[in-house]
Amino acid sequence: QVHLVESGGGSVQAGGSLKLSCAASGPADSRQYIAWFRQAPGKEREGVAVIYTVEWNTQYAHSVQGRFTIDQNGAKNTVYLYMNNLLPEDTAMYYCAAGQDRRSWFLQDRWYNYWGQGTQVTVSS
């Protein structure tokens, strides 16, 4: 059983930065892909970034490309989301998710089996 715990959310002004952390435990095979999703009130959940932990490959949604960076520590048990030049439209609950299906690469939530409890990010203009 994979367990995910997010931390690092908060409030920031537009143009600011935040770092989110996702502490992951459980079988490594079940969390080969770890991604960040976000959901704003009244909107669908959106995949933001994914890392293939085995080979350190990363992919991003167009909306955050060039502003967000996903990374992991050497032990591969913590995944980070570095968020720079934040915009008010980045305001959402951010969730960490883990999956093992290779279709997880495409940032569709259906392929992710494990989810954290979420951490709120609020960006004011």
Side-chain angles (χ1 to χ4, degrees):
Q1 183 78 3
V2 173
H3 189 53
L4 304 169
V5 179
E6 303 99 331
S7 60
S11 297
V12 65
Q13 288 191 327
S17 300
L18 282 174
K19 182 182 84 171
L20 305 183
S21 299
C22 172
S25 59
D29 284 349
S30 297
R31 47 184 172 93
Q32 293 183 42
Y33 298 87
I34 294 186
W36 288 94
F37 287 79
R38 66 185 181 185
Q39 188 166 24
K43 294 188 176 181
E44 292 187 356
R45 187 159 53 189
E46 173 191 20
V48 173
V50 58
I51 185 166
Y52 178 47
T53 61
V54 177
E55 296 182 355
W56 298 72
N57 306 99
T58 60
Q59 180 167 232
Y60 300 89
H62 290 303
S63 58
V64 306
Q65 185 81 41
R67 299 188 298 120
F68 290 12
T69 301
I70 189 170
D71 200 1
Q72 63 179 341
N73 65 350
K76 300 183 180 181
N77 57 13
T78 304
V79 171
Y80 305 100
L81 185 68
Y82 298 91
M83 305 186 294
N84 297 314
N85 192 21
L86 282 160
L87 305 170
E89 48 263 46
D90 293 319
T91 295
M93 184 72 78
Y94 283 70
Y95 299 91
C96 176
Q100 63 184 89
D101 192 297
R102 63 181 180 178
R103 287 166 290 191
S104 302
W105 179 249
F106 301 105
L107 283 169
Q108 295 178 333
D109 55 9
R110 73 182 78 174
W111 305 118
Y112 288 82
N113 305 109
Y114 304 98
W115 294 81
Q117 81 288 350
T119 185
Q120 178 68 37
V121 171
T122 302
V123 184
S124 58
S125 57

